Amino acid sequence: MALSSSSFLSTLPLSNSKSAISFTSSLSPSPLPSFRSASSSHKRRVMTIRSKIREIFMPALSSTMTEGKIVSWIKTEGEKLAKGESVVVVESDKADMDVETFYDGYLAAIVVGEGETAPVGAAIGLLAETEAEIEEAKSKAASKSKSSEVVVVAPSPPPVTSSPAPAIAQPAPVAAVSDGPRKTVATPYAKKLAKQHKVDIGSVAGTGPFGRITAADVEAAAGIAPSVAAPPPPPPAAAAIATPKATTTSSSPPLLPGSSIVPFTAMQSAVSKNMIESLSVPTFRVGYPVNTDALDALYEKVKPKGVTMTALLAKAAGMALAEHPVVNASCKDGKSFSYNSNINIAVAVAINGGLITPVLQDADKLDLYLLSQKWKELVGKARGKQLQPHEYNSGTFTLSNLGMFGVDRFDAILPPGQGAIMAVGASKPTVVADKDGFFSVRNKMLVNVTADHRIVYGADLAAFLQTFAKIVENPDCLTL
Amino acid sequence: MQSAITLPFSQTPLTRPNHVLGSTNSIFSTPRSLRFCGLRREAFGSSSPSNHLSLRSDRVRIPSRRFQVSAASSSNGAPPKSFDYDLIIIGAGVGGHGAALHAVEKGLKTAIIEGDVVGGTCVNRGCVPSKALLAVSGRMRELQNEHHMKSFGLQVSAAGYDRQGVADHANNLATKIRNNLTNSMKALGVDILTGFGSVLGPQKVKYGKDNIITAKNIIIATGSVPFVPKGIEVDGKTVITSDHALKLESVPDWIAIVGSGYIGLEFSDVYTALGSEVTFIEALDQLMPGFDPEISKLAQRVLINPRNIDYHTGVFASKITPAKDGKPVMIELIDAKTKEHKDTLEVDAALIATGRAPFTNGLGLENVNVVTQRGFIPVDERMRVIDGNGKLVPNLYCIGDANGKLMLAHAASAQGISVVEQVTGRDHVLNHLSIPAACFTHPEISMVGLTEPQAREKGEKEGFKVSVAKTSFKANTKALAENEGEGIAKMIYRPDNGEILGVHIFGLHAADLIHEASNAIALGTRIQDIKLAVHAHPTLSEVVDELFKAAKVEGHATASTVSEKVAA
């Protein structure tokens, strides 16, 4: 209890109310222990440390609570408080709870009155250590409630107040430009977010349908990027500049009815970033059919020993790369070749909701069985999200195989920092005519390599593919 | 465990409680006919109808009192001497269906007239399809709640839905239940007559163009349609009623729901789960009027506040204009008391959930001198229709939404069964306070009997004390295992004699939990008796068990003999 209570207490002297606010905001992302389970009837404590006048903060009474309503003040202003006494009853999103003081003192001032609502962490009252300080605290409270009125405190029991009040309070410059004294229309979620992030809804420019303020607008105004790990939020800002006129179509087409927005995970953000980056590299593609009868036969043989097709292909690619180092090189600065001393084959793996490329290091040197073992290990780690950075970003060449889905050919995007990527399709029985004109059915697979043309030229790639095909068609060398 | 199970079977002297209590209500002894929306019919679909019939005929009692009375007693006009049917029911909704099945069981030759589709509102435009949508919304809600999933140790990638797929699910369910209903009546030999039915005179009914048939008794069960207050223009696309909403032709970004009763609440659950934002418009000062205040307060904390919902209370939507000419849906709000203009809302859609209006136009009620009141057909406590002079119309009954007593599908069915009991010679009065009601939000809300303020008022008037017992889902093992500890159950009772006055539950599967209480009220079981009954552990039913055990019944109210036997 003591541990949890400290999280909603002011440790700062009153003289600096701004830093008190920053204190709470820095606190909010840290997950509070959930009180819900056992302790609905237990009392919470308000603690203060050694300053003369302290703020009583709106406590977080549950893990999901963002604001609380003061049901009643048990103590009145000026009343003496003893440690452990209940001071105020707060209604959270879950229940009504008594909040008690952790220190002796006087309830100097009530900042948030009964029936009013304040966000978690906001000062709701002031506690003075001695009687003499009550007056001082009161004057602080007076200035405080004045300044904070706009931001936090809004009577909420029936939030009928959602009407134009805020719009009048501040002649929002952007809204005024658009079409005169227009009524502020904000969606329920937008209003909720605005309250949460202390954004004055009247100052937000609406970019939603009919110029209404949507949740995204509030998020943009609050400087929160809707996506997770990406800090720069320029696109919403740009959108906000666009005139919020009713019928003009905004830059991005409106969402179709029924569609939903799901922000990227960190992994998806990384993929997105890499893909955009890849656009700056001039790439080209070369395809090559490879006969896989021999490889399939070998695979059948070594499969019981734990060898996977991925390992076979990685090994074959590794051996081919050893003969064509330029395909294993990369162009870091647009001025030079960077030849890699190792052949590290990154293999694209789909894991739920994302894509990761565990790297088989020294694929040309390790034997097939070790490679298979290594691969199994990497996949396990990838699933458990336990890959170390060097295990997914040290690749010098990438292998992507969609053959297991029946894809016959596809085209991969070259990841930044590498010279080439190989896209492998399914191996399919194909009718072929040999040089004597006899028809036969052979298993053929199409591989398609995308490469950075600044360093890898067409002939290089063709030669590499020829070598690769030769290795696959005579795969005994793979097992050596 | 083994011994615990075999024990009750070895004890032959176990008496059925209703028998001992001398209840004359046989209605609850035939639970098959009391199906809410006929859902349980499915279970009987496979059994052969003949078997079914013989089983029923075994149970038909020879009515002792007034089997033929009905025909003789009608002095109004000149009733036909021989009738085409014993019973004609106008309207094949759930009420009519319940009445028809019970009538066949009682050996009556029965016909049912339907001008639209079998199943009525409940099956086609009400409870049934809405449950399909709510089943989807419940799952969406769960899958979207990362915190909830994480607490189980589950990882789920982003949940999405296909609107048409969801809509199809609702539609398919309605079709399936409709077919079940139709088949169950056909199998039992109920004549289903197609066409609009109306009353021509005493014991005489017209259906379709000019088919005239006669019956000893007639039940009107024509139900209701969504009520749309004046000033509201329904276009079926952007301003809709529940009829349209259940088809789920679109999921608007922002929808205003006018009315925060059952219908409005359930739809807010569906829409918010599917990604819409919702604005409630409620004429009364509080959301969820009609629920026990404590329950509605808690429900608001769980079902409204954390979701993307805001609300305007104490206001009427005086004018609603559908979206057109590039303008959104416009809603004019006026103060409910002063009638002053308060606000104008601009939203993408509006759902009118302001209740339901009886569907009684064109029923030929003037032919039997019946005057409707706000559209409702006046009836007495036995569902007998009252005419314009305050007299009973012989052989004419009205059940369900059309009489407005309690507008619930299962109430209509119960009323229908009650009428059939009466016309087959057994007086019966349905206790409406024993009829449970449920709202299928996530979590669910259910109730039976009086709310706390109602009970206190009654107690004050009649001079008895009222006590309240409460239990929490937080203390229930099964609820916690499901990570659904949110919720309470509350019972209002008389401490002097242990009578249950009302039970209100908000929490996981509340709609299924209420029946223990509603059955106790229907059978007159006292708390001191039912508290000794055993509940399986761990189940949600222990929430209700705890409730009974938490009640403090005064010492002199002794347990009846039944409970002693059960406890022995």
Side-chain angles (χ1 to χ4, degrees):
Chain A
M1 197 50 80
L3 180 131
S4 56
S5 58
S6 67
S7 58
F8 53 79
L9 294 170
S10 166
T11 57
L12 292 163
L14 242 195
S15 51
N16 193 347
S17 63
K18 259 195 185 145
S19 62
I21 285 167
S22 71
F23 165 74
T24 59
S25 64
S26 72
L27 164 132
S28 54
S30 74
L32 290 166
S34 169
F35 300 128
R36 262 198 283 170
S37 49
S39 58
S40 58
S41 62
H42 286 208
K43 301 191 167 181
R44 327 242 150 254
R45 301 176 158 230
V46 173
M47 178 184 71
T48 48
I49 306 186
R50 44 186 48 234
S51 65
K52 290 178 176 178
I53 302 163
R54 301 155 226 253
E55 293 181 346
I56 300 170
F57 273 16
M58 175 61 75
L61 300 176
S62 77
S63 57
T64 54
M65 175 172 167
T66 55
E67 60 174 25
K69 183 173 140 191
I70 309 294
V71 177
S72 62
W73 282 94
I74 297 165
K75 301 286 175 183
T76 53
E77 285 187 9
E79 209 170 326
K80 193 173 189 316
L81 306 175
K83 197 170 148 183
E85 266 185 302
S86 295
V87 183
V88 59
V89 182
V90 171
E91 178 186 321
S92 75
D93 53 342
K94 306 276 191 249
D96 295 349
M97 291 185 198
D98 287 3
V99 177
E100 46 184 82
T101 169
F102 209 51
Y103 280 84
D104 296 340
Y106 293 87
L107 179 59
I110 288 170
V111 178
V112 179
E114 291 182 3
E116 291 177 31
T117 304
V120 167
I124 54 172
L126 298 176
L127 188 74
E129 203 165 86
T130 64
E131 219 162 337
E133 284 149 358
I134 293 178
E135 278 313 307
E136 190 193 334
K138 272 191 177 158
S139 61
K140 294 276 183 198
S143 63
K144 186 167 184 62
S145 60
K146 244 180 242 157
S147 64
S148 61
E149 214 160 87
V150 186
V151 194
V152 277
V153 186
S156 94
V160 186
T161 43
S162 51
S163 45
I168 296 160
Q170 225 168 357
V174 187
V177 174
S178 60
D179 38 317
R182 205 181 178 297
K183 192 175 115 67
T184 308
V185 177
T187 71
Y189 187 36
K191 279 187 259 183
K192 184 174 282 186
L193 277 177
K195 217 168 173 187
Q196 235 170 52
H197 298 297
K198 301 174 190 168
V199 171
D200 176 10
I201 201 107
S203 67
V204 177
T207 64
F210 312 106
R212 75 170 64 128
I213 299 162
T214 64
D217 295 332
V218 175
E219 279 176 335
I224 317 155
S227 65
V228 192
I241 294 161
T243 47
K245 236 184 139 191
T247 43
T248 47
T249 46
S250 59
S251 55
S252 63
L255 276 182
L256 292 173
S259 52
S260 56
I261 295 176
V262 180
F264 283 155
T265 61
M267 182 193 285
Q268 288 160 342
S269 304
V271 170
S272 168
K273 190 170 138 275
N274 277 343
M275 290 303 97
I276 299 294
E277 223 169 276
S278 74
L279 290 176
S280 62
V281 177
T283 55
F284 74 112
R285 295 145 191 92
V286 176
Y288 205 98
V290 181
N291 185 341
T292 62
D293 288 314
L295 185 73
D296 293 340
L298 175 70
Y299 179 49
E300 283 309 313
K301 234 188 280 172
V302 294
K303 200 172 164 186
K305 296 176 192 166
V307 174
T308 61
M309 185 51 95
T310 301
L312 280 168
L313 291 172
K315 177 76 179 168
M319 289 174 72
L321 285 170
E323 290 180 35
H324 302 272
V326 74
V327 183
N328 193 46
S330 63
C331 182
K332 305 272 187 219
D333 53 3
K335 292 180 208 152
S336 58
F337 292 83
S338 307
Y339 286 100
N340 293 302
S341 52
N342 300 60
I343 294 176
N344 298 339
I345 310 265
V347 185
V349 177
I351 62 170
N352 78 55
L355 167 69
I356 198 156
T357 53
V359 176
L360 285 165
Q361 290 176 345
D362 294 320
D364 59 325
K365 299 199 184 83
L366 285 183
D367 79 52
L368 196 53
Y369 304 103
L370 270 176
L371 214 52
S372 298
Q373 210 179 329
K374 185 88 195 150
W375 179 242
K376 221 167 268 169
E377 209 175 289
L378 287 170
V379 170
K381 279 189 181 175
R383 296 233 165 90
K385 300 192 174 160
Q386 288 162 336
L387 283 178
Q388 299 302 309
H390 72 272
E391 287 172 317
Y392 59 82
N393 64 15
S394 61
T396 58
F397 178 89
T398 302
L399 183 67
S400 179
N401 183 1
L402 292 179
M404 55 287 211
F405 297 108
V407 168
D408 71 338
R409 80 199 81 173
F410 71 107
D411 169 20
I413 293 179
L414 180 64
Q418 291 182 17
I421 177 169
M422 178 185 278
V424 181
S427 174
K428 293 198 303 189
T430 311
V431 179
V432 291
D434 68 11
K435 38 183 189 285
D436 300 323
F438 289 110
F439 288 104
S440 62
V441 174
R442 295 286 172 82
N443 284 336
K444 288 240 175 216
M445 128 185 133
L446 286 168
V447 298
N448 192 3
V449 178
T450 304
D452 182 347
H453 207 299
R454 290 173 301 177
I455 51 168
V456 184
Y457 303 164
D460 297 329
L461 211 47
F464 162 73
L465 280 164
Q466 200 175 19
T467 309
F468 176 78
K470 228 177 249 167
I471 293 168
V472 169
E473 283 161 14
N474 304 286
D476 290 341
C477 58
L478 291 175
T479 54
L480 292 178
Chain B
M1 249 315 151
Q2 274 285 331
S3 62
I5 288 166
T6 51
L7 189 63
F9 291 105
S10 61
Q11 281 192 326
T12 36
L14 264 182
T15 4
R16 286 173 58 193
N18 61 344
H19 192 245
V20 170
L21 286 167
S23 162
T24 52
N25 305 1
S26 76
I27 153 172
F28 287 98
S29 66
T30 57
R32 277 170 300 145
S33 324
L34 238 188
R35 273 321 102 214
F36 183 102
C37 301
L39 284 171
R40 175 91 175 278
R41 281 290 143 206
E42 276 180 85
F44 290 89
S46 56
S47 70
S48 84
S50 60
N51 195 1
H52 216 47
L53 269 174
S54 64
L55 193 138
R56 279 163 180 252
S57 58
D58 288 345
R59 300 181 53 193
V60 170
R61 294 210 198 152
I62 309 299
S64 49
R65 274 187 288 157
R66 25 166 272 183
F67 192 54
Q68 294 290 344
V69 180
S70 50
S73 68
S74 47
S75 52
N76 190 2
K81 295 213 172 57
S82 68
F83 299 101
D84 299 326
Y85 291 99
D86 294 323
L87 180 66
I88 289 179
I89 301 158
I90 306 176
V94 169
H97 175 257
L101 293 197
H102 195 62
V104 171
E105 180 176 327
K106 290 287 176 185
L108 302 185
K109 189 181 178 206
T110 309
I112 194 159
I113 299 173
E114 179 54 60
D116 187 24
V117 282
V118 170
T121 298
C122 168
V123 173
N124 300 294
R125 297 173 302 274
C127 348
V128 171
S130 68
K131 293 305 98 52
L133 297 184
L134 283 158
V136 174
S137 79
R139 282 174 175 80
M140 276 299 284
R141 218 170 264 298
E142 209 171 341
L143 292 173
Q144 284 169 339
N145 187 344
E146 218 173 299
H147 178 73
H148 182 80
M149 282 295 160
K150 259 195 194 141
S151 61
F152 280 121
L154 288 177
Q155 290 168 353
V156 179
S157 52
Y161 68 92
D162 159 35
R163 184 199 53 76
Q164 193 56 48
V166 179
D168 289 346
H169 173 50
N171 192 35
N172 292 344
L173 179 68
T175 308
K176 188 172 188 180
I177 302 300
R178 181 167 64 236
N179 291 340
N180 287 343
L181 229 64
T182 312
N183 293 341
S184 70
M185 289 196 291
K186 277 190 186 151
L188 293 175
V190 176
D191 284 348
I192 302 175
L193 310 174
T194 309
F196 195 89
S198 61
V199 179
L200 272 190
Q203 299 176 306
K204 201 183 279 179
V205 170
K206 187 180 99 168
Y207 74 95
K209 267 213 158 135
D210 42 13
N211 308 302
I212 294 169
I213 46 172
T214 57
K216 259 182 236 164
N217 290 291
I218 299 166
I219 297 179
I220 298 171
T222 46
S224 62
V225 292
F227 170 67
V228 178
K230 66 175 182 355
I232 296 176
E233 187 187 328
V234 171
D235 71 344
K237 295 272 179 258
T238 56
V239 180
I240 58 177
T241 66
S242 55
D243 287 3
H244 309 105
L246 287 165
K247 293 187 187 136
L248 202 72
E249 277 170 358
S250 70
V251 179
D253 287 344
W254 184 6
I255 185 164
I257 299 181
V258 185
S260 64
Y262 298 77
I263 303 174
L265 261 188
E266 290 190 354
F267 274 108
S268 79
D269 197 279
V270 171
Y271 280 119
T272 52
L274 299 185
S276 302
E277 296 177 37
V278 169
T279 296
F280 267 121
I281 297 166
E282 172 58 54
L284 297 176
D285 286 335
Q286 234 195 334
L287 286 183
M288 295 178 255
F291 292 91
D292 184 88
E294 197 173 354
I295 296 287
S296 74
K297 189 174 177 189
L298 179 66
Q300 186 171 332
R301 272 188 195 145
V302 177
L303 301 177
I304 308 278
N305 296 349
R307 299 184 180 171
N308 294 336
I309 300 177
D310 68 352
Y311 48 88
H312 300 259
T313 52
V315 290
F316 284 129
S318 59
K319 186 164 188 278
I320 300 185
T321 323
K324 56 187 166 198
D325 310 327
K327 277 187 173 164
V329 175
M330 307 290 275
I331 303 176
E332 300 286 335
L333 296 184
I334 57 166
D335 191 285
K337 290 185 193 89
T338 63
K339 311 286 180 222
E340 276 168 31
H341 176 84
K342 275 198 95 166
D343 206 346
T344 306
L345 303 181
E346 298 175 15
V347 292
D348 295 321
L351 168 66
I352 314 305
T354 42
R356 302 187 59 86
F359 182 62
T360 52
N361 271 343
L363 256 178
L365 293 169
E366 61 284 353
N367 299 335
V368 282
N369 190 25
V370 170
V371 184
T372 60
Q373 294 168 356
R374 291 181 301 124
F376 293 109
I377 297 177
V379 293
D380 72 352
E381 60 185 7
R382 289 179 173 79
M383 310 302 141
R384 293 178 289 196
V385 174
I386 300 168
D387 71 10
N389 305 322
K391 284 191 192 139
L392 294 179
V393 181
N395 312 103
L396 185 64
Y397 300 81
C398 176
I399 61 168
D401 288 3
N403 71 30
K405 271 186 178 290
L406 186 57
M407 297 173 82
L408 294 168
H410 48 283
S413 186
Q415 290 171 356
I417 289 161
S418 174
V419 169
V420 170
E421 284 289 310
Q422 291 171 55
V423 303
T424 52
R426 186 166 170 183
D427 191 26
H428 183 263
V429 177
L430 180 65
N431 176 9
H432 282 84
L433 284 177
S434 73
I435 297 179
C439 184
F440 294 82
T441 43
H442 296 92
E444 295 170 344
I445 311 171
S446 64
M447 71 214 73
V448 64
L450 303 175
T451 63
E452 187 177 338
Q454 284 169 346
R456 293 213 181 275
E457 198 188 318
K458 190 177 179 201
E460 212 151 284
K461 238 186 247 162
E462 297 177 17
F464 58 80
K465 256 194 354 195
V466 171
S467 291
V468 174
K470 277 183 244 177
T471 55
S472 166
F473 279 67
K474 279 193 188 100
N476 182 277
T477 311
K478 189 70 189 321
L480 290 179
E482 302 281 344
N483 267 331
E484 303 271 5
E486 197 90 66
I488 60 166
K490 116 176 216 189
M491 174 169 68
I492 300 123
Y493 64 100
R494 283 180 66 162
D496 57 343
N497 62 7
E499 183 188 348
I500 302 172
L501 299 171
V503 172
H504 303 263
I505 308 176
F506 174 72
L508 185 63
H509 294 308
D512 293 314
L513 294 176
I514 196 69
H515 296 96
E516 193 167 357
S518 64
N519 287 355
I521 293 177
L523 303 175
T525 314
R526 302 287 154 132
I527 296 167
Q528 56 270 33
D529 296 334
I530 202 167
K531 77 193 291 183
L532 301 173
V534 179
H535 295 70
H537 175 77
T539 58
L540 291 172
S541 73
E542 290 170 292
V543 170
V544 186
D545 186 30
E546 289 291 321
L547 206 51
F548 297 140
K549 291 194 161 77
K552 297 207 166 31
V553 179
E554 284 158 18
H556 57 81
T558 48
S560 79
T561 48
V562 183
S563 65
E564 279 159 15
K565 273 182 191 159
V566 170

